[in-house]
Amino acid sequence: MLPYHKLIVIDKQNQLPVYRQITNRLISLIREGLIPPGTFFPGTRQMAEFITVNRKTIINAYEELMTEDWIESVDRKGYRVTPELPIIKPRSFQPPNSFSSCDNMTARNLALQGGSQPEHRTTKSWDIVVNDGYPDPELAPFNEISKVYRDKATSARIKQLMCLRDQGGLPLLKEATALFLNETRGLNIRKDDLVITRGAQMAIYIAATVLLAKGDHVVVTEPNYRYADEIIENTGAHISKIGIDAEGPALDQLEQILKKSPVKMLYIVPHLHHPTTITMSAERRQQLLQLIERYRFYVIEDDYGYDFHYTNNPILPLASSPHGGKIIYIGSFTKLLAPSIRVGYMIAAPDIVKKATDLKRLIDLRGDTFIEFMLAQMIINGDLVRHINRSNKLYARRCDFICDLLTKKLSHAVEFTRPLGGMAIWLRFKRQYPVNKIINDAAHAGLCMIGMPFRLAGNPNDNGIRFGFASLSEEEISKAVDILVKLTSCS
């Protein structure tokens, strides 16, 4: 659902009645394409809570919109934007988006350069494994998957689809994904604007491989998602690093780099940054959009965690703002469902989508048709949104539980900021507790910590590690914290 509380701002000094301000703003959002035809509005009570007004005010606004034929009332479902919009012809109506093609892509050498691999640790069956921040496998949609496999008519259809040439993903899923992203992120895309991939990791690889050539200049944060760094290094590109603070990437540092030499691409995780879980402020996002317009560099916006927000206040992606086709937007359904359900997506300008589709075919001739079909059905019938809501409630409770426990029992050894969402906490151990030693000692005590660690003296995030809590029960969280308490008390 769109963040209406941010999109509709009431001006109390304005002489125009509040209900009319709301009406006018909703009409503008429809005209701009941020709210597409057929979209259902929140109920009057819910909308009133979102923008902090009286419910009667919302009722008046909706009635005004119906009078002007912008919306219609649907029995037992609510209010939706009418498919036959006034002024605009419905069949030709397609809201503008910022994924228009802007530059001709040049061919490049795809030879890999190699990269370092993270340490591999073996685990015992009784170990508690604290991962990088994965969903709880027990919440995976096994019933939905089994229905697809059991239904004979569906299975026959899927067998046909499995034999067709892959065009960047199952068309049904591409269409459903476009609908899902339009409703939740305001991207205003069509199915032809995106490519379905085997998780966000493949999408990052494809995007970087299509965009970058040996010697290109790329900027990332420090710390950054380790595997994104390795992907960029494998293209032969040169990496510059900028800092990150409580509001996000240090854009003053980025601008200094831009002034000195051309930058081909910036890789960024604005929402729940990996690994630190920091969410980039709205002011920084606007500043970055201005830099993109001024210096014309590409941006990979990795938005793997957008759907995991506990306060229902997500900031819209950078890609939902005008960017002249310079942003490649990447996300994942894997984080919503289960680690082994590898389905991601990337949205980009048409020339990039074409090259990405061709490259994907070289490394993955066709996707997992069963899973893609199942996921499309979940989106279409509303099961995915319900699954997200249930998961978020559970993960929010676990987040509160571990944060309270860490504050009570481990404040002598760690510092952290309670995340706004997501599945992990960025734990920064105090200097006398080296994180690498904690990891090794914990492994011997039955606690396997495989989340990303970071060591760089002088960096504010030095001596930190991602502590994934979403896949752990409260009992497992308690045992993990107790082991850390014991280790730090003995040090």
Side-chain angles (χ1 to χ4, degrees):
M1 183 179 294
L2 292 174
Y4 287 98
H5 72 290
K6 292 183 181 295
L7 296 174
I8 303 175
V9 179
I10 306 302
D11 182 3
K12 295 183 178 179
Q13 305 301 319
N14 195 322
Q15 295 183 352
L16 196 66
V18 172
Y19 86 91
R20 191 65 226 186
Q21 292 184 45
I22 297 171
T23 301
N24 292 347
R25 181 55 180 151
L26 287 172
I27 291 173
S28 296
L29 292 172
I30 295 170
R31 284 185 178 276
E32 293 166 8
L34 206 59
I35 304 179
T39 300
F40 276 91
F41 283 165
T44 55
R45 190 183 306 279
Q46 189 178 23
M47 181 67 93
E49 292 175 355
F50 284 161
I51 56 179
T52 320
V53 297
N54 189 280
R55 184 188 179 195
K56 182 63 176 176
T57 303
I58 300 298
I59 293 173
N60 290 339
Y62 283 6
E63 288 178 350
E64 189 76 10
L65 288 168
M66 283 196 293
T67 301
E68 299 179 20
D69 292 329
W70 286 101
I71 68 172
E72 61 186 8
S73 177
V74 181
D75 289 343
R76 294 193 293 274
K77 288 189 176 181
Y79 300 90
R80 71 174 179 183
V81 180
T82 180
E84 296 185 2
L85 290 170
I87 303 175
I88 305 171
K89 294 181 180 180
R91 290 190 179 181
S92 63
F93 175 71
Q94 171 60 38
N97 67 59
S98 294
F99 292 99
S100 58
S101 181
C102 57
D103 292 335
N104 292 324
M105 302 300 298
T106 57
R108 60 167 304 274
N109 187 343
L110 299 182
L112 298 180
Q113 305 300 314
S116 60
Q117 294 298 315
E119 178 187 355
H120 174 72
R121 303 185 190 91
T122 57
T123 60
K124 303 177 182 66
S125 59
W126 55 84
D127 283 345
I128 297 173
V129 178
V130 178
N131 55 51
D132 204 60
Y134 302 152
D136 189 338
E138 293 187 5
L139 301 181
F142 296 118
N143 289 335
E144 287 78 4
I145 295 173
S146 63
K147 286 179 184 177
V148 173
Y149 279 94
R150 288 197 306 264
D151 190 294
K152 292 183 178 180
T154 299
S155 296
R157 175 58 179 151
I158 291 175
K159 287 177 181 177
Q160 289 180 327
L161 295 171
M162 290 171 67
C163 299
L164 300 178
R165 183 182 180 185
D166 183 80
Q167 296 292 338
L170 190 70
L172 182 66
L173 178 58
K174 291 174 68 175
E175 190 168 341
T177 299
L179 175 65
F180 174 72
L181 296 177
N182 289 342
E183 290 182 348
T184 58
R185 292 153 171 82
L187 294 180
N188 300 324
I189 59 169
R190 296 169 295 185
K191 65 181 179 67
D192 293 338
D193 296 318
L194 63 88
V195 180
I196 299 297
T197 60
R198 298 265 191 173
Q201 185 70 25
M202 178 188 280
I204 298 169
Y205 173 82
I206 290 175
T209 303
V210 167
L211 285 177
L212 301 176
K214 186 176 181 179
D216 281 341
H217 192 183
V218 178
V219 177
V220 302
T221 59
E222 187 168 57
N224 191 40
Y225 178 44
R226 176 198 293 128
Y227 292 113
D229 285 351
E230 292 188 10
I231 286 171
I232 294 166
E233 289 169 354
N234 277 331
T235 68
H238 167 68
I239 293 180
S240 293
K241 298 184 178 181
I242 59 175
I244 182 168
D245 58 29
E247 289 193 59
L251 297 185
D252 55 338
Q253 297 177 23
L254 172 62
E255 188 164 16
Q256 290 303 313
I257 294 172
L258 291 166
K259 288 179 179 178
K260 292 178 181 177
S261 62
V263 170
K264 183 65 173 291
M265 189 188 84
L266 167 70
Y267 171 85
I268 193 171
V269 188
H271 190 80
L272 299 173
H273 172 263
H274 193 289
T276 66
T277 74
I278 291 168
T279 293
M280 189 178 185
S281 68
E283 291 75 16
R284 290 273 176 96
R285 293 171 191 244
Q286 190 60 40
Q287 184 183 352
L288 178 55
L289 289 167
Q290 293 170 358
L291 291 176
I292 294 170
E293 182 178 7
R294 189 180 312 154
Y295 293 97
R296 307 305 298 161
F297 55 92
Y298 285 98
V299 175
I300 291 181
E301 181 179 9
D302 184 351
D303 206 11
Y304 77 95
Y306 181 87
D307 296 293
F308 296 102
H309 42 84
Y310 301 149
T311 58
N312 292 322
N313 298 328
I315 302 175
L316 285 176
L318 289 162
S320 67
S321 299
H323 54 77
K326 285 295 187 179
I327 292 179
I328 296 89
Y329 184 77
I330 287 172
S332 175
F333 291 114
T334 297
K335 289 286 187 182
L336 300 176
L337 302 174
S340 61
I341 299 178
R342 306 297 303 167
V343 184
Y345 50 84
M346 64 172 284
I347 298 98
D351 53 346
I352 299 177
V353 169
K354 173 62 170 60
K355 289 180 177 290
T357 302
D358 293 342
L359 178 58
K360 181 199 172 189
R361 193 176 297 118
L362 295 181
I363 58 178
D364 188 29
L365 195 56
R366 55 180 52 85
D368 188 332
T369 310
F370 271 100
I371 292 296
E372 290 186 20
F373 188 91
M374 177 276 299
L375 181 54
Q377 294 299 323
M378 286 188 68
I379 296 172
I380 293 168
N381 62 29
D383 282 345
L384 182 65
V385 170
R386 287 187 286 271
H387 175 81
I388 292 171
N389 292 337
R390 288 194 302 269
S391 300
N392 268 339
K393 289 179 181 179
L394 176 62
Y395 297 153
R397 289 198 301 270
R398 290 178 179 175
C399 183
D400 288 340
F401 181 79
I402 189 173
C403 287
D404 292 344
L405 209 57
L406 290 170
T407 301
K408 180 180 179 181
K409 292 189 173 185
L410 209 58
S411 58
H412 66 280
V414 301
E415 297 175 344
F416 69 95
T417 299
R418 188 183 294 253
L420 299 176
M423 300 179 178
I425 293 174
W426 183 241
L427 279 187
R428 302 181 304 280
F429 282 85
K430 296 182 180 179
R431 186 177 303 176
Q432 63 268 39
Y433 308 107
V435 68
N436 290 340
K437 184 177 187 303
I438 291 292
I439 291 171
N440 291 331
D441 292 347
H444 289 101
L447 176 62
C448 186
M449 301 172 67
I450 61 174
M452 176 185 164
F454 178 72
R455 291 301 311 268
L456 183 64
N459 189 289
N461 287 289
D462 177 40
N463 212 32
I465 186 171
R466 276 178 68 89
F467 191 104
F469 59 81
S471 59
L472 301 176
S473 66
E474 291 188 0
E475 181 182 2
E476 290 171 323
I477 292 172
S478 296
K479 288 181 179 178
V481 172
D482 285 343
I483 290 173
L484 293 177
V485 169
K486 185 176 181 180
L487 293 177
T488 53
S489 298
C490 296
S491 301

